[in-house]
Structures are given as C-alpha cells and as structure tokens.
Amino acid sequence: MLSQQSRPYIDASVPVLREHGLTITKTFYRNMFADRPDLTNLFNMGNQASGAQQQSLASAVFAYAANYDRADVLAPVLDRIVHKHAAVGIKPSHYTIVGRHLLGAIKQVLGDAATPELMAAWDEAYWLLAAELIAAEGRLYERSKAEPDHRLPLRVTERCAQGSEIVSLTLAPVDGTPLPDFQPGQYVSVVVELRPGVFQQRQYSLSDAPNGASWRISVKREAAGEGTPAGVVSNWLHDNAKVGDVLMVSRPYGDFAPVLDGKSPIVLLSAGVGITPMISVLNTMARRNPGRPVLFAHAARDRARLAHLDDVADAGKRMASFNAHYFLESLPADSEAPVAGATTHAGRMTLPSVLGKQAPADADYYLCGPLPFMQIQRAALLEAGVPAGRVHREVFGPDLLDDIL
C-alpha cells in the first residue's frame, strides 16, 4: 500500500501526467534502447514506430496514478498485463532496467518540478506496482511450468490460406512430445529471426480446439496504414513460414478464456482477424458441450476476407442449437446468401440483426476485433440491458487499458 507521505505527490501527478505523459514515455524508450539495444528484441518495434507503445505506457502510468488505491479497477487490467508479460518473457531483472529509465525520464522531462519528494513518491509507487507484477508473473510461470525465456521448438506441419488476408499454420513439437494444454481464447508468442541476431515476437490466438498433439495459429497480413508500418512479423510469417520450418513458440497465456460449460446461451461477436479465438471456442464447444446454444456473428469487409468458413460450418453441424451470421460491408449484388448455412447481412454488424428485439439477459457475450468494433458492440449490449459482467473482450497491446481510461 502506498504510504501516506507519498499519496499527495502521486495525486498531484495526475494532471502532470496527462500533459507530459507521452513526452516522458518517448524519452524513456529512447534512453532505454540507447543504453540496452538488446531489449529491442523483446519489445514490439512496430508499435514503437507507430507511437502506439509510447502512448500505451503513458496511459498505463496515468491510469495507475489515478487509480492506485482502487484494486477493483486495476486488478483485471493488471491480470491482462501479467499474461502479456509472461508470453513475452519478462523477467524480474527487466523491472530494474525499466524503473531506472522511467524514473530518469520523469526527472528529465519535468526538470526542476521533479523535486526529491516527488521522485521518492514515484520510486515507491513504481516498486509497489513492480513487486505485484513480479509476484503474479512468477505464479503464472510456475503454473505454466516454464521459465520466462522458455520457447518450444514447433514444426509447421500444415499451412492453409483462410481467405485473402489470413494464413493458418499448424504447429507440432519436433520431438513428438505432448503439447501443454490451453484454454480456448488464449494466445502464444511466436519468435522470428528477421535477420541474423535481430529477433521480434508477436502474439497470436490459438485457432483450434486443444488436442495435445498440435496447435494452430491464424495470422493476418498487416499492410502499412496511415501512420502505421506494415506488420513485420505477420508479413514474415506469410512470406517465409513453410511446411517443415521450425518456429520458437511460447506456452499459451491470456485471460480471455470463455467458460464453455453450462447450459445458458453463449454469443460470439467478432470482426476481422478477431475470429481466431472464436474458432478455438467453437471447435471446443462442438466437442465438449454441443448441446449449449451458440450464436456466432462475424463482420468482414467482403466475402474474400472471410476466414475459417469450414471450421464454422463443421462446428455448427455438431451443435444442437447453432446460428451463424456474417456481416459484409461489400455484399455481392448477385448473391443473397454468399455463405452456406449462415444468415448474411449487408453492412456493418448491428445488434438487433443478430439478437432480435431483445438480447438474452442470461447469455454470456464475448467480443474480439478492432477496438472501435468492440466499443460499439459493448455499448449496444449494455444499452440493451445486458449486465456488464456478462460482456467479455479480448484486447491486446495499447487497448489493454481501455476499460479504465
């Protein structure tokens, strides 16, 4: 718990961080990478180039300063961060490096305003948070039976195009040993060597039911956008990962793990590559609990971009109560039903088109896709009377803090 002596200084930091937070985090990353260039192999340099990582850290520092005494607010977000850190391979020693450079950046940017009392308060606050994260990550590593930097060598045994933008890669252990189990909705980190000595890793949701023998990931080719670079790792996997190649992959992590037991309806709403964890959920449900009512709805720009159509159709055939909806922004004029076995809608996803006039209050709702999509669907569900506790989202990277900002 933060000391009474430090509380006034952290409270007073909130407006300062709102004004200078981004400058502080840009300074932090610049100084840290200059001192420790080896850490560029650990951090997402694509998010660095776009500025998303700097904004994410600024938001995290601001959120902590504004909510340090509200465990109910911080706990769910910290749990997501713990899983992400474990997937990346964060070690306790990294916190010393980050702390030194983060506090140094605060002092550098604030100048004379960074009084000894203010810096002492932030030193205390940082290490309280770091200790909590280190302990939680240690427990997670222990449950996973893995060291932070442990990676499994997995061979690509199958490569399959899933629409025009996504490729799925099936991965199996090179020595034939059983793979660790996972919860549908979880993800793994995949490490690639872009050039000799230069590594990057990204997280990809597992896109099939657990079977002990293989994992499958589905990777969207991320093109360059306005202000954002092309996805270095996703493009590398699309262009270079062939059947027979070996990739280094983390154990599964992530707190987006839908509860698949029970009899109440489950509603899966996704857009774009957000379909991947939903496929894992669908395939697992079809095996474990095929009697539970499932409503699946997915949005895409056009039919060419639809992925895992066979998975959805096959899972639906094995379920007693299954309804599928596809929303296509560009719907062919000469085809009223471009997806067999599903209801197809023109335009973006709208809740009444999926659920009818009234959303089932006893259903569990899971969302995955671009942040604006999830914000719109969540707001629509809450407006329809769905309890907030029944609405769950899978979020990555800079969007992790959206729930409390």
Side-chain angles (χ1 to χ4, degrees):
M1 181 179 294
L2 194 65
S3 69
Q4 291 297 323
Q5 182 179 356
S6 294
R7 285 171 179 262
Y9 294 99
I10 301 301
D11 291 339
S13 298
V14 172
V16 176
L17 292 172
R18 188 188 297 274
E19 181 179 357
H20 300 289
L22 186 57
T23 303
I24 290 171
T25 55
K26 287 181 176 179
T27 303
F28 156 72
Y29 280 116
R30 182 174 64 248
N31 294 346
M32 184 176 68
F33 289 144
D35 181 54
R36 291 292 302 269
D38 57 302
L39 292 181
T40 58
N41 289 335
L42 191 64
F43 286 81
N44 185 326
M45 299 311 292
N47 283 344
Q48 286 289 323
S50 69
Q53 193 67 58
Q54 296 91 327
Q55 183 61 62
S56 178
L57 180 59
S59 298
V61 175
F62 172 77
Y64 180 68
N67 297 280
Y68 63 83
D69 58 349
R70 296 194 59 192
D72 60 318
V73 173
L74 288 177
V77 178
L78 294 182
D79 192 44
R80 293 179 199 159
I81 293 173
V82 164
H83 278 269
K84 180 66 178 291
H85 281 184
V88 171
I90 296 295
K91 302 177 182 179
S93 59
H94 289 133
Y95 284 92
T96 301
I97 300 168
V98 168
R100 182 173 72 251
H101 288 289
L102 181 59
L103 294 174
I106 293 175
K107 186 173 181 60
Q108 181 178 338
V109 172
L110 298 186
D112 293 341
T115 64
E117 294 80 7
L118 177 69
M119 296 310 301
W122 267 106
D123 183 77
E124 179 187 345
Y126 173 80
W127 281 109
L128 282 172
L129 177 60
E132 186 174 348
L133 292 173
I134 290 170
E137 288 156 18
R139 292 191 294 270
L140 185 54
Y141 286 134
E142 185 175 359
R143 291 199 302 271
S144 301
K145 300 178 181 179
E147 295 297 323
D149 55 358
H150 178 67
R151 294 292 182 265
L152 302 167
L154 303 182
R155 193 180 307 280
V156 179
T157 60
E158 185 178 351
R159 176 186 170 111
C160 181
Q162 301 287 350
S164 61
E165 294 181 327
I166 295 174
V167 62
S168 64
L169 303 174
T170 300
L171 311 171
V174 296
D175 58 3
T177 58
L179 282 170
D181 200 8
F182 65 90
Q183 296 296 316
Q186 291 190 307
Y187 55 83
V188 294
S189 283
V190 178
V191 182
V192 301
E193 188 172 15
L194 300 174
R195 54 185 184 275
V198 177
F199 298 87
Q200 281 281 277
Q201 58 180 312
R202 297 291 185 272
Q203 289 70 52
Y204 298 102
S205 295
L206 293 161
S207 59
D208 203 356
N211 60 44
S214 65
W215 291 339
R216 185 175 67 179
I217 59 173
S218 298
V219 181
K220 178 186 175 184
R221 183 188 289 276
E222 296 288 353
E226 185 176 347
T228 60
V232 175
V233 177
S234 70
N235 280 277
W236 190 97
L237 290 169
H238 270 260
D239 296 336
N240 296 282
K242 305 179 297 298
V243 172
D245 289 348
V246 175
L247 300 175
M248 303 305 293
V249 183
S250 77
R251 289 172 180 259
Y253 294 102
D255 65 340
F256 181 76
V259 178
L260 305 186
D261 298 326
K263 299 180 179 180
S264 61
I266 184 170
V267 179
L268 308 175
L269 307 177
S270 60
V273 75
I275 194 173
T276 55
M278 304 308 191
I279 297 302
S280 180
V281 172
L282 277 180
N283 287 350
T284 306
M285 287 282 293
R287 296 180 186 181
R288 277 179 31 187
N289 192 7
R292 186 177 183 183
V294 176
L295 194 156
F296 168 85
H298 180 70
R301 290 184 181 178
D302 52 45
R303 195 191 190 290
R305 289 177 169 87
L306 291 179
H308 291 290
L309 290 172
D310 290 342
D311 283 279
V312 176
D314 291 345
K317 292 175 183 177
R318 291 180 283 164
M319 294 180 181
S321 177
F322 178 79
N323 288 290
H325 296 258
Y326 288 97
F327 291 79
L328 304 177
E329 293 184 32
S330 176
L331 183 64
D334 59 348
S335 176
E336 295 183 358
V339 183
T343 302
T344 307
H345 309 264
R348 298 187 175 186
M349 186 182 297
T350 58
L351 196 62
S353 300
V354 178
L355 302 176
K357 295 183 179 180
Q358 186 172 2
D362 63 338
D364 292 303
Y365 298 81
Y366 295 92
L367 316 178
C368 190
L371 181 59
F373 166 83
M374 292 193 294
Q375 289 174 328
I376 291 170
Q377 302 308 324
R378 183 174 186 271
L381 289 169
L382 297 181
E383 185 177 352
V386 176
R390 288 189 173 272
V391 182
H392 314 274
R393 297 185 292 173
E394 170 65 309
V395 288
F396 286 97
D399 301 339
L400 282 172
L401 297 160
D402 180 60
D403 287 332
I404 63 175
L405 293 176

